Amino acid sequence: MNLNWRLIIKNGLLGGIIAFYLSAIGMAETFSQRYLISTFLSTGQLFVAVGGVTAGILTARALKEDYKKSTAYIGSLLAGVFSSLPLILLIFLIQVLVIQQTGQEVIFRWRDMFVNFSPGLVAMLTFGQGLGLGIPLLILASALLAGLGATFILFPDRLRLAWLNGLIWMLGIGIFSENVTQILGQFGGRGLARFLFQQRTLNPIAAILIFAGAFAIAYFRVHKTVQNRWTGMPARQQKRGRTIGLVLGILLLISLPWMVGQFLSQALFMVGLYVMMGLGLNIVVGYAGLLDLGYVAFFAVGAYTMGILTSTGPLGQSDLSFWAVLPIAVLVGLAWGVFLGFPVLRMRGDYLAIVTLGFGEIIRILATSDWLAPFEGGPQGILHIPNPNFFGITMHQPQTMYYLVVAGSLLIAFVTIRLRESRLGRQWMAMREDEDVAEAMGINLVQTKLLAFSIGAAFSAMAGAIFAARLGNIFPHSFNLLISINALALIIVGGLGSIPGVIVGSLILVGLPELLREFTEYRLLMYGLLLIVMMLFRPEGFLPEETQKRELHADEEELAPLET
Amino acid sequence: MLKRYFQNISWVDVFLRVFQIAALIVITIGIYNTVTTGRYTSAQWATLVFAGLAQGSVYALIALGYTLVYGILLMINFAHGEVYMAGAFTGVFLAQYLSNIGFLDSNPFLGVTALILLAGTVSTLIAVLLERIAYRPLRGAPRLVPLITAIGASFALQYTFRGLYGAEFRAYPAVKALSGLVNVFGFNVPLVQLVVLAAAVVFMVALYLFVERTKMGKAMRAVSEDKDVARLMGIDIDKVIVTTFAIGGALAGVAGVFNGLFRPQGVYFFMGFFPGLKAFTAAVLGGIGNLPGAMIGGLLLGVFESLFPNLILEGLGIPSANQLRDAFAFTMLVLILIFRPQGIFGERLAEKKA
């Protein structure tokens, strides 16, 4: 048997380095007590396992073409063995640097530097068995994990998908146990929740049942059968089916907040808010091609307009209702879009990006300063902004506010679609492709750019106004760069210029972090890694617009023959 | 003649011209008021200028990394501020150790050199890794895509170092040999600021010579002119790009140590974000892609930022002007780009390449 050792060692070490990294920054130990399935598997262990599994997947994929299956399995197991080496190194580092220093007087305590190099981590990595037995166990476990990773690649297709499906559902329900419990609770399924989970962790029988169910659904290709029957139906029935589907979809959209409970409704509200902003920014970046990194400025403008005009506190300037101020906020946002758009009319590309970023920061800093504090409260912000009142119902729950953002998103989506198909939309896209040519074709660049800027700004201001009315208090720190970045990232992750993409992007980049609140300080780390991984594997986004996709794939076709 | 001139200008030009004049008037009034009321003595102004120069040399060193990468890849390396943080944050541990054993006081030169070496190495490593993982696979993708990975990398690096070294502030120890005042033109200036300024200038001159005089420097310039032609000339593009990132990273690490030496506020995982933004501002100020531009831009930004809130804003009667320091840096960026979009030394990149 002539194995490609270089490749095996390389992939094995790569996986090991991932495991080393996740352990060294504390993700392993911090979550070592957060169990997913009974007490067999914790989230911390899952993080460490990522290394071994990755090693197995990479090796199996590389060996699949040129070798027999059995050889590929053996290669993957060997890669798993190598993937344990960085972890063993970590164990020894902790042993030598940290554990030997404990209780001694030293000038430099390594634990002060590497705060997560703890004895607990060693205990976790050696399965609490001490070094002598623990290290062989770790090697064995790494090899097995790599073998598991290899099965994701090497199993026959049908089995492979079912196997993956089962594992993903089982782990997913384990990770989101709290949310699942909440949803079940809304349906009176407390009993079921109690059967599934013992103190947030899946009970083993439930885990096996979930796995088996998901496995069976994928293995017997239930969705394929449904699809086949659907295509087999006569056209009239299909039409009726579509209407029923639409009605069900609308009903689902309406009843969603009552099905998922308070906490998840708040998450949905945030998702909806970002959909509104994303749709607005999509016009600026996706259609007009103007890279705006200071989008939060308009969000803040909308929120402060709402705050100043409706607050019942000392800073309130009038006692207008939410509904009267909402259009005012939109108009103020529009005006600010023109105002901030004007100076940057002559700038392009990265210069535009950095100047708009500057605007965003300027507005935030001004809002925090003492200078403007008499008008908008400085760092203390504006308090006592009343919740909107809808025909006598005060919308103080996230469930009711959810309808507001859904209505807002639908309105903005409608306007966006109409604009895209209009003359103006075509002018934007022409400008995006080439400014000089667009101008030569008789497009008034000043007007077109300002319209893109100000319409985008107006939508963001609308979102900001709703945000202020939901929270009741606004503070300048809420309007930081992260909001601009989030809005930009979500439209790119979803697919630049695509409206369904905005929704998908917002669910992934806003909804998911809301659900993963328990990961606290590691949430933004995961967000960052997710952005990188997303862009590496799907640079065109999840649901790209057709032209965008074609452009990227045309590139690949051109390059592909050269590289192979 | 005049008629044709009027035909050619659009109302955007008129607006921008009016805006420029208004800005100039506001600045003049502010300076006039402050100077005539004599709120500060000349010694106080000198203190502000030298503090600004020291801060500016840190900005300049970081800005060089931005400008080098932008010159070659036409890409904003948004995560460069985090590269700076990595060096500074790692260096602080060695600094504390050396200070505890007394080495930093007995051998200040060797001690600081060791700090620079460590921080520079860590930052270089991070910068090279960043290029390898987040940017290289995306060469040739639409320009927004690497920007997003850069933003992602920025978060990932921040929280990686938070996980690794913890979330607390850690302060660089004061170096005894560098504390104390020096007399420059009759003003008392902290020695550490002068040393930082001088050392930063040495690094900048070294970089300039490297780019202008060595073969690798020549290759870098060739790649920034035209990648494809450079490849045809037998230049290894990947090697040049990695070198660029490595040099930028090393300078950022050095900047991190300097920052720690003269600013007692301490370092932590989020420290790279704003200096990164400001260094980018400095790079744009000097004309991005232009090395002397980044150096001068950094120094100018440092001085402006330290001087102008007191000089202009207080003259206009704005309370607690120093709160607006950061806003001021960005306002200046906007103004400069309106007055002179290509930056101080830049060619018309904005229209040619962007």
Side-chain angles (χ1 to χ4, degrees), chain B residues 38-80:
Chain B
R39 198 172 289 141
Y40 296 97
T41 62
S42 53
Q44 281 169 314
W45 288 124
T47 312
L48 286 176
V49 169
F50 279 100
L53 278 175
Q55 181 66 58
S57 55
V58 170
Y59 290 155
L61 286 174
I62 310 173
L64 285 170
Y66 274 110
T67 240
L68 280 169
V69 168
Y70 192 92
I72 284 181
L73 288 178
L74 291 185
M75 176 199 117
I76 305 180
N77 179 8
F78 209 85
H80 192 59

mmCIF file of all heavy atoms in Angstrom, chain B residues 38-80:
data_model
loop_
_atom_site.group_PDB
_atom_site.id
_atom_site.type_symbol
_atom_site.label_atom_id
_atom_site.label_comp_id
_atom_site.label_asym_id
_atom_site.label_seq_id
_atom_site.Cartn_x
_atom_site.Cartn_y
_atom_site.Cartn_z
ATOM 1 N N GLY B 38 -5.805 83.953 23.608
ATOM 2 C CA GLY B 38 -4.608 83.510 24.324
ATOM 3 C C GLY B 38 -4.910 82.517 25.428
ATOM 4 O O GLY B 38 -4.433 82.629 26.544
ATOM 5 N N ARG B 39 -5.723 81.539 25.116
ATOM 6 C CA ARG B 39 -6.125 80.587 26.145
ATOM 7 C C ARG B 39 -4.951 79.689 26.556
ATOM 8 O O ARG B 39 -4.854 79.259 27.680
ATOM 9 C CB ARG B 39 -7.305 79.769 25.636
ATOM 10 C CG ARG B 39 -8.070 79.071 26.733
ATOM 11 C CD ARG B 39 -9.336 78.450 26.200
ATOM 12 N NE ARG B 39 -10.330 79.455 25.842
ATOM 13 C CZ ARG B 39 -11.112 79.368 24.764
ATOM 14 N NH1 ARG B 39 -11.002 78.355 23.958
ATOM 15 N NH2 ARG B 39 -12.002 80.301 24.502
ATOM 16 N N TYR B 40 -4.096 79.379 25.610
ATOM 17 C CA TYR B 40 -2.988 78.473 25.910
ATOM 18 C C TYR B 40 -1.650 79.189 25.698
ATOM 19 O O TYR B 40 -1.533 80.021 24.811
ATOM 20 C CB TYR B 40 -3.042 77.251 24.996
ATOM 21 C CG TYR B 40 -4.269 76.413 25.204
ATOM 22 C CD1 TYR B 40 -5.369 76.565 24.379
ATOM 23 C CD2 TYR B 40 -4.318 75.490 26.231
ATOM 24 C CE1 TYR B 40 -6.505 75.810 24.573
ATOM 25 C CE2 TYR B 40 -5.454 74.724 26.434
ATOM 26 C CZ TYR B 40 -6.541 74.886 25.606
ATOM 27 O OH TYR B 40 -7.644 74.143 25.804
ATOM 28 N N THR B 41 -0.668 78.786 26.493
ATOM 29 C CA THR B 41 0.671 79.339 26.304
ATOM 30 C C THR B 41 1.365 78.579 25.186
ATOM 31 O O THR B 41 0.945 77.488 24.799
ATOM 32 C CB THR B 41 1.498 79.184 27.580
ATOM 33 O OG1 THR B 41 1.628 77.783 27.836
ATOM 34 C CG2 THR B 41 0.829 79.862 28.752
ATOM 35 N N SER B 42 2.466 79.146 24.709
ATOM 36 C CA SER B 42 3.166 78.470 23.618
ATOM 37 C C SER B 42 3.738 77.146 24.092
ATOM 38 O O SER B 42 3.851 76.193 23.330
ATOM 39 C CB SER B 42 4.263 79.371 23.063
ATOM 40 O OG SER B 42 5.097 79.805 24.120
ATOM 41 N N ALA B 43 4.102 77.044 25.373
ATOM 42 C CA ALA B 43 4.612 75.771 25.883
ATOM 43 C C ALA B 43 3.532 74.698 25.791
ATOM 44 O O ALA B 43 3.794 73.548 25.425
ATOM 45 C CB ALA B 43 5.072 75.933 27.319
ATOM 46 N N GLN B 44 2.301 75.085 26.070
ATOM 47 C CA GLN B 44 1.213 74.110 25.975
ATOM 48 C C GLN B 44 1.011 73.661 24.532
ATOM 49 O O GLN B 44 0.777 72.493 24.246
ATOM 50 C CB GLN B 44 -0.074 74.714 26.527
ATOM 51 C CG GLN B 44 -0.115 74.684 28.047
ATOM 52 C CD GLN B 44 -1.255 75.514 28.592
ATOM 53 O OE1 GLN B 44 -1.478 76.653 28.159
ATOM 54 N NE2 GLN B 44 -1.961 74.958 29.550
ATOM 55 N N TRP B 45 1.098 74.621 23.621
ATOM 56 C CA TRP B 45 0.972 74.237 22.209
ATOM 57 C C TRP B 45 2.071 73.270 21.814
ATOM 58 O O TRP B 45 1.829 72.275 21.125
ATOM 59 C CB TRP B 45 1.034 75.465 21.295
ATOM 60 C CG TRP B 45 -0.174 76.336 21.344
ATOM 61 C CD1 TRP B 45 -0.217 77.658 21.638
ATOM 62 C CD2 TRP B 45 -1.536 75.945 21.082
ATOM 63 N NE1 TRP B 45 -1.505 78.124 21.591
ATOM 64 C CE2 TRP B 45 -2.333 77.087 21.259
ATOM 65 C CE3 TRP B 45 -2.141 74.749 20.745
ATOM 66 C CZ2 TRP B 45 -3.710 77.078 21.090
ATOM 67 C CZ3 TRP B 45 -3.508 74.721 20.574
ATOM 68 C CH2 TRP B 45 -4.273 75.866 20.742
ATOM 69 N N ALA B 46 3.295 73.551 22.284
ATOM 70 C CA ALA B 46 4.412 72.672 21.924
ATOM 71 C C ALA B 46 4.166 71.265 22.456
ATOM 72 O O ALA B 46 4.406 70.265 21.759
ATOM 73 C CB ALA B 46 5.710 73.233 22.486
ATOM 74 N N THR B 47 3.654 71.177 23.680
ATOM 75 C CA THR B 47 3.350 69.858 24.241
ATOM 76 C C THR B 47 2.379 69.111 23.322
ATOM 77 O O THR B 47 2.575 67.938 23.012
ATOM 78 C CB THR B 47 2.693 70.025 25.626
ATOM 79 O OG1 THR B 47 3.459 70.935 26.374
ATOM 80 C CG2 THR B 47 2.585 68.702 26.335
ATOM 81 N N LEU B 48 1.340 69.850 22.888
ATOM 82 C CA LEU B 48 0.346 69.205 22.026
ATOM 83 C C LEU B 48 0.982 68.742 20.716
ATOM 84 O O LEU B 48 0.723 67.636 20.248
ATOM 85 C CB LEU B 48 -0.801 70.178 21.734
ATOM 86 C CG LEU B 48 -1.767 70.424 22.878
ATOM 87 C CD1 LEU B 48 -2.789 71.470 22.493
ATOM 88 C CD2 LEU B 48 -2.465 69.129 23.247
ATOM 89 N N VAL B 49 1.833 69.580 20.148
ATOM 90 C CA VAL B 49 2.435 69.216 18.861
ATOM 91 C C VAL B 49 3.287 67.962 19.007
ATOM 92 O O VAL B 49 3.191 67.032 18.202
ATOM 93 C CB VAL B 49 3.280 70.385 18.302
ATOM 94 C CG1 VAL B 49 4.109 69.911 17.120
ATOM 95 C CG2 VAL B 49 2.380 71.522 17.894
ATOM 96 N N PHE B 50 4.117 67.909 20.068
ATOM 97 C CA PHE B 50 4.992 66.748 20.184
ATOM 98 C C PHE B 50 4.212 65.481 20.518
ATOM 99 O O PHE B 50 4.515 64.407 20.002
ATOM 100 C CB PHE B 50 6.097 67.009 21.208
ATOM 101 C CG PHE B 50 7.224 67.805 20.619
ATOM 102 C CD1 PHE B 50 7.336 69.168 20.845
ATOM 103 C CD2 PHE B 50 8.146 67.194 19.782
ATOM 104 C CE1 PHE B 50 8.356 69.898 20.273
ATOM 105 C CE2 PHE B 50 9.169 67.922 19.208
ATOM 106 C CZ PHE B 50 9.277 69.283 19.450
ATOM 107 N N ALA B 51 3.195 65.610 21.347
ATOM 108 C CA ALA B 51 2.358 64.441 21.613
ATOM 109 C C ALA B 51 1.718 63.969 20.310
ATOM 110 O O ALA B 51 1.650 62.767 20.013
ATOM 111 C CB ALA B 51 1.275 64.783 22.631
ATOM 112 N N GLY B 52 1.290 64.946 19.499
ATOM 113 C CA GLY B 52 0.680 64.613 18.218
ATOM 114 C C GLY B 52 1.667 63.929 17.290
ATOM 115 O O GLY B 52 1.315 62.973 16.596
ATOM 116 N N LEU B 53 2.912 64.404 17.297
ATOM 117 C CA LEU B 53 3.907 63.787 16.414
ATOM 118 C C LEU B 53 4.163 62.340 16.813
ATOM 119 O O LEU B 53 4.285 61.456 15.952
ATOM 120 C CB LEU B 53 5.218 64.578 16.469
ATOM 121 C CG LEU B 53 5.279 65.827 15.595
ATOM 122 C CD1 LEU B 53 6.580 66.566 15.840
ATOM 123 C CD2 LEU B 53 5.174 65.449 14.123
ATOM 124 N N ALA B 54 4.253 62.084 18.123
ATOM 125 C CA ALA B 54 4.496 60.716 18.575
ATOM 126 C C ALA B 54 3.321 59.822 18.186
ATOM 127 O O ALA B 54 3.502 58.738 17.611
ATOM 128 C CB ALA B 54 4.703 60.689 20.085
ATOM 129 N N GLN B 55 2.115 60.309 18.458
ATOM 130 C CA GLN B 55 0.932 59.532 18.075
ATOM 131 C C GLN B 55 0.888 59.356 16.556
ATOM 132 O O GLN B 55 0.594 58.291 16.042
ATOM 133 C CB GLN B 55 -0.321 60.262 18.570
ATOM 134 C CG GLN B 55 -1.623 59.546 18.257
ATOM 135 C CD GLN B 55 -1.726 58.237 18.998
ATOM 136 O OE1 GLN B 55 -1.664 58.198 20.210
ATOM 137 N NE2 GLN B 55 -1.853 57.158 18.253
ATOM 138 N N GLY B 56 1.246 60.426 15.871
ATOM 139 C CA GLY B 56 1.228 60.390 14.414
ATOM 140 C C GLY B 56 2.219 59.398 13.853
ATOM 141 O O GLY B 56 1.957 58.766 12.824
ATOM 142 N N SER B 57 3.357 59.219 14.527
ATOM 143 C CA SER B 57 4.312 58.255 13.973
ATOM 144 C C SER B 57 3.762 56.837 14.109
ATOM 145 O O SER B 57 4.041 55.981 13.263
ATOM 146 C CB SER B 57 5.670 58.400 14.656
ATOM 147 O OG SER B 57 5.533 58.287 16.044
ATOM 148 N N VAL B 58 2.966 56.609 15.159
ATOM 149 C CA VAL B 58 2.310 55.300 15.262
ATOM 150 C C VAL B 58 1.313 55.133 14.113
ATOM 151 O O VAL B 58 1.307 54.109 13.423
ATOM 152 C CB VAL B 58 1.600 55.144 16.620
ATOM 153 C CG1 VAL B 58 0.716 53.916 16.643
ATOM 154 C CG2 VAL B 58 2.618 55.061 17.731
ATOM 155 N N TYR B 59 0.493 56.156 13.896
ATOM 156 C CA TYR B 59 -0.445 56.086 12.768
ATOM 157 C C TYR B 59 0.303 55.841 11.461
ATOM 158 O O TYR B 59 -0.121 55.040 10.621
ATOM 159 C CB TYR B 59 -1.232 57.396 12.633
ATOM 160 C CG TYR B 59 -2.232 57.668 13.718
ATOM 161 C CD1 TYR B 59 -2.621 58.956 14.022
ATOM 162 C CD2 TYR B 59 -2.805 56.620 14.435
ATOM 163 C CE1 TYR B 59 -3.545 59.221 15.013
ATOM 164 C CE2 TYR B 59 -3.721 56.873 15.433
ATOM 165 C CZ TYR B 59 -4.084 58.175 15.721
ATOM 166 O OH TYR B 59 -4.996 58.427 16.701
ATOM 167 N N ALA B 60 1.422 56.543 11.309
ATOM 168 C CA ALA B 60 2.153 56.439 10.043
ATOM 169 C C ALA B 60 2.642 55.014 9.819
ATOM 170 O O ALA B 60 2.535 54.474 8.720
ATOM 171 C CB ALA B 60 3.323 57.406 10.052
ATOM 172 N N LEU B 61 3.175 54.400 10.897
ATOM 173 C CA LEU B 61 3.683 53.029 10.730
ATOM 174 C C LEU B 61 2.551 52.072 10.347
ATOM 175 O O LEU B 61 2.738 51.176 9.522
ATOM 176 C CB LEU B 61 4.359 52.557 12.021
ATOM 177 C CG LEU B 61 5.734 53.165 12.303
ATOM 178 C CD1 LEU B 61 6.212 52.730 13.671
ATOM 179 C CD2 LEU B 61 6.725 52.738 11.241
ATOM 180 N N ILE B 62 1.377 52.252 10.949
ATOM 181 C CA ILE B 62 0.259 51.376 10.576
ATOM 182 C C ILE B 62 -0.193 51.714 9.159
ATOM 183 O O ILE B 62 -0.480 50.825 8.348
ATOM 184 C CB ILE B 62 -0.919 51.522 11.554
ATOM 185 C CG1 ILE B 62 -0.442 51.407 12.998
ATOM 186 C CG2 ILE B 62 -1.953 50.461 11.306
ATOM 187 C CD1 ILE B 62 -1.519 51.710 14.006
ATOM 188 N N ALA B 63 -0.238 53.009 8.875
ATOM 189 C CA ALA B 63 -0.726 53.443 7.560
ATOM 190 C C ALA B 63 0.131 52.864 6.442
ATOM 191 O O ALA B 63 -0.379 52.561 5.355
ATOM 192 C CB ALA B 63 -0.734 54.961 7.487
ATOM 193 N N LEU B 64 1.423 52.677 6.713
ATOM 194 C CA LEU B 64 2.284 52.109 5.672
ATOM 195 C C LEU B 64 1.790 50.728 5.264
ATOM 196 O O LEU B 64 1.810 50.371 4.084
ATOM 197 C CB LEU B 64 3.722 52.022 6.180
ATOM 198 C CG LEU B 64 4.437 53.373 6.217
ATOM 199 C CD1 LEU B 64 5.745 53.258 6.957
ATOM 200 C CD2 LEU B 64 4.675 53.859 4.804
ATOM 201 N N GLY B 65 1.334 49.947 6.245
ATOM 202 C CA GLY B 65 0.811 48.623 5.930
ATOM 203 C C GLY B 65 -0.409 48.708 5.020
ATOM 204 O O GLY B 65 -0.530 47.955 4.055
ATOM 205 N N TYR B 66 -1.302 49.650 5.337
ATOM 206 C CA TYR B 66 -2.490 49.810 4.485
ATOM 207 C C TYR B 66 -2.091 50.180 3.069
ATOM 208 O O TYR B 66 -2.586 49.644 2.086
ATOM 209 C CB TYR B 66 -3.364 50.948 5.026
ATOM 210 C CG TYR B 66 -4.333 50.539 6.081
ATOM 211 C CD1 TYR B 66 -4.173 50.938 7.387
ATOM 212 C CD2 TYR B 66 -5.428 49.772 5.747
ATOM 213 C CE1 TYR B 66 -5.077 50.572 8.357
ATOM 214 C CE2 TYR B 66 -6.341 49.409 6.715
ATOM 215 C CZ TYR B 66 -6.151 49.817 8.019
ATOM 216 O OH TYR B 66 -7.051 49.449 8.967
ATOM 217 N N THR B 67 -1.168 51.138 3.005
ATOM 218 C CA THR B 67 -0.837 51.701 1.711
ATOM 219 C C THR B 67 -0.072 50.696 0.859
ATOM 220 O O THR B 67 -0.295 50.588 -0.345
ATOM 221 C CB THR B 67 -0.089 53.021 1.947
ATOM 222 O OG1 THR B 67 -0.802 54.066 1.346
ATOM 223 C CG2 THR B 67 1.299 53.006 1.446
ATOM 224 N N LEU B 68 0.796 49.916 1.502
ATOM 225 C CA LEU B 68 1.533 48.892 0.756
ATOM 226 C C LEU B 68 0.558 47.899 0.134
ATOM 227 O O LEU B 68 0.634 47.575 -1.050
ATOM 228 C CB LEU B 68 2.477 48.131 1.693
ATOM 229 C CG LEU B 68 3.801 48.780 2.051
ATOM 230 C CD1 LEU B 68 4.451 48.005 3.178
ATOM 231 C CD2 LEU B 68 4.697 48.806 0.842
ATOM 232 N N VAL B 69 -0.371 47.404 0.969
ATOM 233 C CA VAL B 69 -1.314 46.400 0.479
ATOM 234 C C VAL B 69 -2.232 47.000 -0.571
ATOM 235 O O VAL B 69 -2.493 46.405 -1.611
ATOM 236 C CB VAL B 69 -2.124 45.819 1.653
ATOM 237 C CG1 VAL B 69 -3.294 45.006 1.143
ATOM 238 C CG2 VAL B 69 -1.235 44.957 2.507
ATOM 239 N N TYR B 70 -2.680 48.236 -0.309
ATOM 240 C CA TYR B 70 -3.581 48.845 -1.282
ATOM 241 C C TYR B 70 -2.865 49.077 -2.601
ATOM 242 O O TYR B 70 -3.407 48.841 -3.671
ATOM 243 C CB TYR B 70 -4.130 50.179 -0.748
ATOM 244 C CG TYR B 70 -5.265 50.687 -1.583
ATOM 245 C CD1 TYR B 70 -6.567 50.366 -1.258
ATOM 246 C CD2 TYR B 70 -5.038 51.436 -2.730
ATOM 247 C CE1 TYR B 70 -7.617 50.786 -2.033
ATOM 248 C CE2 TYR B 70 -6.080 51.863 -3.515
ATOM 249 C CZ TYR B 70 -7.371 51.535 -3.164
ATOM 250 O OH TYR B 70 -8.403 51.936 -3.945
ATOM 251 N N GLY B 71 -1.616 49.492 -2.514
ATOM 252 C CA GLY B 71 -0.865 49.750 -3.730
ATOM 253 C C GLY B 71 -0.780 48.515 -4.600
ATOM 254 O O GLY B 71 -0.805 48.598 -5.822
ATOM 255 N N ILE B 72 -0.676 47.352 -3.966
ATOM 256 C CA ILE B 72 -0.450 46.135 -4.740
ATOM 257 C C ILE B 72 -1.737 45.401 -5.077
ATOM 258 O O ILE B 72 -1.936 44.942 -6.198
ATOM 259 C CB ILE B 72 0.544 45.232 -3.976
ATOM 260 C CG1 ILE B 72 1.921 45.833 -4.172
ATOM 261 C CG2 ILE B 72 0.508 43.821 -4.484
ATOM 262 C CD1 ILE B 72 3.013 45.092 -3.528
ATOM 263 N N LEU B 73 -2.662 45.313 -4.124
ATOM 264 C CA LEU B 73 -3.878 44.528 -4.374
ATOM 265 C C LEU B 73 -5.111 45.396 -4.593
ATOM 266 O O LEU B 73 -6.187 44.873 -4.860
ATOM 267 C CB LEU B 73 -4.147 43.584 -3.193
ATOM 268 C CG LEU B 73 -3.205 42.407 -3.054
ATOM 269 C CD1 LEU B 73 -3.563 41.607 -1.829
ATOM 270 C CD2 LEU B 73 -3.264 41.528 -4.282
ATOM 271 N N LEU B 74 -4.985 46.714 -4.449
ATOM 272 C CA LEU B 74 -6.138 47.617 -4.547
ATOM 273 C C LEU B 74 -7.243 47.178 -3.604
ATOM 274 O O LEU B 74 -8.403 47.082 -3.976
ATOM 275 C CB LEU B 74 -6.682 47.665 -5.973
ATOM 276 C CG LEU B 74 -5.784 48.334 -6.990
ATOM 277 C CD1 LEU B 74 -6.495 48.421 -8.315
ATOM 278 C CD2 LEU B 74 -5.359 49.700 -6.516
ATOM 279 N N MET B 75 -6.864 46.859 -2.406
ATOM 280 C CA MET B 75 -7.823 46.299 -1.462
ATOM 281 C C MET B 75 -7.597 46.931 -0.099
ATOM 282 O O MET B 75 -6.458 47.101 0.313
ATOM 283 C CB MET B 75 -7.579 44.803 -1.403
ATOM 284 C CG MET B 75 -8.411 44.074 -0.429
ATOM 285 S SD MET B 75 -7.625 42.522 -0.103
ATOM 286 C CE MET B 75 -7.302 42.793 1.585
ATOM 287 N N ILE B 76 -8.708 47.297 0.583
ATOM 288 C CA ILE B 76 -8.576 47.802 1.950
ATOM 289 C C ILE B 76 -8.414 46.606 2.866
ATOM 290 O O ILE B 76 -9.317 45.799 2.994
ATOM 291 C CB ILE B 76 -9.815 48.594 2.389
ATOM 292 C CG1 ILE B 76 -10.119 49.717 1.424
ATOM 293 C CG2 ILE B 76 -9.619 49.152 3.781
ATOM 294 C CD1 ILE B 76 -11.329 50.531 1.812
ATOM 295 N N ASN B 77 -7.254 46.492 3.467
ATOM 296 C CA ASN B 77 -7.043 45.401 4.419
ATOM 297 C C ASN B 77 -7.637 45.820 5.750
ATOM 298 O O ASN B 77 -6.953 46.297 6.643
ATOM 299 C CB ASN B 77 -5.548 45.124 4.546
ATOM 300 C CG ASN B 77 -5.262 44.041 5.528
ATOM 301 O OD1 ASN B 77 -6.178 43.380 6.014
ATOM 302 N ND2 ASN B 77 -4.006 43.844 5.846
ATOM 303 N N PHE B 78 -8.931 45.624 5.855
ATOM 304 C CA PHE B 78 -9.680 46.129 7.000
ATOM 305 C C PHE B 78 -9.158 45.562 8.320
ATOM 306 O O PHE B 78 -9.332 46.154 9.371
ATOM 307 C CB PHE B 78 -11.145 45.747 6.821
ATOM 308 C CG PHE B 78 -12.087 46.696 7.452
ATOM 309 C CD1 PHE B 78 -12.496 47.829 6.792
ATOM 310 C CD2 PHE B 78 -12.587 46.466 8.717
ATOM 311 C CE1 PHE B 78 -13.355 48.722 7.369
ATOM 312 C CE2 PHE B 78 -13.459 47.350 9.303
ATOM 313 C CZ PHE B 78 -13.847 48.477 8.619
ATOM 314 N N ALA B 79 -8.530 44.397 8.270
ATOM 315 C CA ALA B 79 -8.089 43.738 9.498
ATOM 316 C C ALA B 79 -6.694 44.184 9.919
ATOM 317 O O ALA B 79 -6.130 43.627 10.856
ATOM 318 C CB ALA B 79 -8.126 42.227 9.324
ATOM 319 N N HIS B 80 -6.136 45.183 9.267
ATOM 320 C CA HIS B 80 -4.762 45.566 9.585
ATOM 321 C C HIS B 80 -4.642 46.112 11.003
ATOM 322 O O HIS B 80 -3.624 45.919 11.667
ATOM 323 C CB HIS B 80 -4.275 46.591 8.569
ATOM 324 C CG HIS B 80 -2.807 46.838 8.625
ATOM 325 N ND1 HIS B 80 -1.885 45.839 8.425
ATOM 326 C CD2 HIS B 80 -2.088 47.960 8.885
ATOM 327 C CE1 HIS B 80 -0.674 46.343 8.560
ATOM 328 N NE2 HIS B 80 -0.770 47.622 8.835
#
